[in-house]
Amino acid sequence: MSWRHCLLAVLICQGSVIQAASINKHDPWDAHHISDLPPEVRQYIAGLCKGPASAQHDFATYNPQEHRWRINIEYLNCPGLARDFREGNQCLDVDFVEVGSHYRLARKTYAACGF
């Protein structure tokens, strides 16, 4: 392969990387991952954080069959968060279940960290 072909291949690859980067502008630490949750869950997070918070995509998952929100604290980022959410290689998971038109804290448990 000539040096021209190599240079052309490099330029094409660079263009693909730049184009892919400009298409995927989603911030992995997004405050909307919290603001879109039910009020009771947001209040719990506000109590943990004591300030502005952001979270990764896997922070909160919803199980419609159980009407349950699972909150994975290891995917939460905020200034007031104490490190006691982690015990060795396990992290705190918090479950909220729907009761009528509200959600209540149902369970706090430690499970394998996702990171």
Side-chain angles (χ1 to χ4, degrees):
M1 182 182 278
S2 73
W3 67 271
R4 288 181 194 164
H5 288 107
C6 289
L7 181 58
L8 180 59
V10 168
L11 291 175
I12 290 172
C13 288
Q14 283 180 339
S16 298
V17 169
I18 291 169
Q19 183 180 13
S22 65
I23 291 171
N24 187 10
K25 293 183 180 179
H26 178 70
D27 182 7
W29 293 100
D30 192 341
H32 290 290
H33 294 141
I34 299 168
S35 64
D36 294 343
L37 295 172
E40 297 83 6
V41 179
R42 291 193 317 262
Q43 289 171 353
Y44 180 84
I45 299 307
L48 288 176
C49 289
K50 300 172 181 49
S54 60
Q56 291 183 340
H57 181 71
D58 293 334
F59 167 69
T61 54
Y62 183 71
N63 182 326
Q65 289 82 21
E66 298 178 4
H67 302 279
R68 178 183 303 269
W69 281 99
R70 162 85 28 100
I71 307 300
N72 300 295
I73 303 299
E74 70 263 29
Y75 297 116
L76 178 65
N77 182 30
C78 58
L81 184 63
R83 288 292 156 197
D84 59 353
F85 76 89
R86 188 170 180 176
E87 290 183 354
N89 65 347
Q90 296 195 330
C91 294
L92 182 63
D93 287 344
V94 182
D95 288 1
F96 285 84
V97 294
E98 188 174 20
V99 177
S101 61
H102 299 283
Y103 285 86
R104 69 170 175 82
L105 179 64
R107 184 176 70 143
K108 293 168 71 173
T109 186
Y110 285 87
C113 296
F115 50 74

